[in-house]
């Protein structure tokens, strides 16, 4: 029996079944991966939200029993740091949720002003006033077209890292920001002379909740948020770092003219 050409060209039932099965297996893998990420997110957020509260409760108990005013002042300073840590963590969670749900919105942005605004916002961080900050716009195009919220989130996380991970023993703490703008791309380079990142950690620093050091316990979300932010701006990021020498982060995003 000779089959009609149109029938012969149709995919076989088994080929269609195999294709559907492959897709089903792929979906199962994706769901398992999402569940694993959700479990990690839930565990880490609950831990990081409870830790400062536990610290605060312990300090309150100490204050209740303390009679020396000098010690009380020390305890209140410790409480302030604990609250700042929790506030920063909540800011990170808020930023992550914000960039996940907001559409990219184009607007004209003066990068020099935005960088200065970000530094001002971070002036409350410990040691921020000790850091010498320089901003160098390399050409005559400081105004770009991009998403202001996303650029601010990215700069806020990168500059806060540059401040928080300065070396205690460094005589002169520095952060240098270099900006190069063309009609198509925007390049921002942020360099510090802080503690640096050891080579074995550099490929993992963009993972959710990954902490490359115990020197200053952050949320482990900062660089993950930067990566997620850049994904919606056709952006990329590279890090070069040496232990006890410092870190340079180079970010490139599209100029959405």
């Amino acid at each position: 029996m000779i089959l009609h050409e149109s029938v012969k060209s149709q995919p076989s039932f088994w080929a269609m079944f195999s294709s559907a099965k492959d897709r089903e297996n792929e979906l199962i893998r994706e769901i398992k991966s999402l569940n694993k990420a959700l479990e990690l997110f839930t565990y880490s957020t609950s831990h990081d939200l409870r830790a400062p509260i536990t610290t605060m409760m312990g300090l309150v108990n100490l204050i209740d029993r303390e009679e020396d005013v000098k010690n009380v002042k020390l305890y209140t300073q410790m409480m302030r740091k604990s609250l700042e840590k929790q506030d920063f963590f909540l800011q990170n969670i808020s930023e992550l949720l914000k960039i996940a749900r907001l559409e990219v919105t184009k607007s004209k942005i003066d990068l020099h002003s935005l960088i200065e605004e970000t530094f001002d916002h971070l002036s409350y961080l410990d040691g921020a006033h000790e850091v010498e900050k320089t901003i160098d716009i390399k050409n005559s195009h400081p105004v770009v077209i991009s998403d202001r919220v996303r650029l601010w989130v990215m700069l806020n996380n990168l500059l806060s890292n540059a401040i928080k991970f300065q070396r205690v023993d460094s005589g002169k703490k520095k952060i240098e920001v270099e900006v190069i703008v063309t009609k198509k791309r925007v390049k921002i380079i942020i360099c510090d002379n802080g503690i640096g990142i050891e080579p074995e950690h550099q490929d993992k620093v963009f993972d959710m909740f990954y902490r490359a050091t115990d020197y200053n316990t952050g949320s482990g979300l900062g660089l993950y948020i930067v990566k997620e932010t850049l994904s919606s701006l056709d952006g990329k990021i590279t890090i070069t770092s040496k232990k006890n020498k410092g870190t340079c982060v180079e970010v490139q995003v599209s100029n959405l003219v």
Side-chain angles (χ1 to χ4, degrees):
M1 183 174 67
I2 300 176
L3 295 175
H4 192 277
E5 285 297 321
S6 64
V7 175
K8 289 164 59 176
S9 65
Q10 296 295 318
S12 70
F13 168 79
W14 291 112
M16 293 173 64
F17 176 80
S18 177
S19 177
K21 193 67 177 176
D22 289 343
R23 180 55 183 157
E24 179 185 349
N25 290 335
E26 182 182 344
L27 286 172
I28 291 172
R29 286 193 295 270
E30 289 177 2
I31 291 170
K32 286 181 177 179
S33 177
L34 288 171
N35 283 338
K36 186 175 181 181
L38 182 59
E39 286 176 6
L40 174 61
F41 183 81
T42 303
Y43 170 78
S44 296
T45 50
S46 61
H47 176 270
D48 286 340
L49 285 172
R50 278 187 55 81
I53 295 173
T54 303
T55 300
M56 290 285 289
M57 290 172 65
L59 290 169
V60 168
N61 288 333
L62 287 174
I63 290 173
D64 282 342
R65 298 194 299 267
E66 186 59 62
E67 296 179 0
D68 190 330
V69 176
K70 292 181 180 179
N71 287 338
V72 171
K73 187 174 181 179
L74 175 63
Y75 295 149
T76 57
Q77 289 173 349
M78 294 169 68
M79 291 171 73
R80 182 179 293 109
K81 288 184 178 180
S82 183
L83 286 171
E84 287 174 354
K85 178 181 176 182
Q86 188 169 39
D87 181 58
F88 197 77
F89 179 77
L90 291 172
Q91 285 182 44
N92 279 337
I93 295 293
S94 177
E95 289 170 358
L96 186 58
L97 295 174
K98 185 185 296 182
I99 62 174
R101 72 174 186 271
L102 288 181
E103 296 292 330
V104 173
T105 302
K106 296 181 184 180
S107 63
K108 287 185 178 180
I109 304 163
D110 185 321
L111 279 177
H112 193 282
S113 296
L114 184 61
I115 293 166
E116 285 189 331
E117 178 187 324
T118 309
F119 272 129
D120 287 344
H121 172 73
L122 297 169
S123 61
Y124 73 93
L125 291 177
D126 279 347
H129 63 285
E130 301 173 2
V131 181
E132 179 185 308
K133 310 169 186 75
T134 59
I135 304 171
D136 185 9
I137 308 293
K138 287 295 185 183
N139 50 25
S140 58
H141 301 282
V143 177
V144 302
I145 306 296
S146 189
D147 186 301
R148 194 179 192 282
V149 171
R150 284 175 167 81
L151 281 186
W152 186 87
V153 167
M154 179 198 70
L155 286 168
N156 186 62
N157 281 286
L158 292 179
L159 292 176
S160 67
N161 278 353
I163 293 171
K164 289 189 294 182
F165 296 108
Q166 286 289 330
R167 288 164 50 202
V168 176
D169 61 346
S170 176
K172 192 174 183 180
K173 301 175 175 63
K174 296 188 297 181
I175 298 175
E176 298 173 350
V177 184
E178 180 182 332
V179 178
I180 303 171
V181 181
T182 66
K183 289 183 178 180
K184 292 185 177 181
R185 302 289 286 177
V186 181
K187 182 187 292 185
I188 302 172
I189 304 168
I190 300 171
C191 293
D192 64 64
N193 61 342
I195 64 172
I197 305 169
E198 296 194 26
E200 61 267 29
H201 296 297
Q202 292 181 21
D203 291 337
K204 303 174 184 177
V205 292
F206 297 104
D207 294 345
M208 185 187 291
F209 296 115
Y210 188 83
R211 294 178 173 90
T213 177
D214 293 328
Y215 172 82
N216 189 325
T217 54
S219 68
L221 279 173
L223 289 176
Y224 175 80
I225 291 172
V226 170
K227 182 187 70 173
E228 292 298 301
T229 303
L230 290 173
S231 66
S232 56
L233 295 176
D234 185 29
K236 61 180 181 179
I237 182 170
T238 56
I239 290 180
T240 55
S241 186
K242 289 185 178 180
K243 185 178 179 181
N244 294 325
K245 296 293 184 181
T247 300
C248 281
V249 179
E250 180 179 310
V251 171
Q252 291 191 44
V253 297
S254 293
N255 195 357
L256 304 175
V257 179

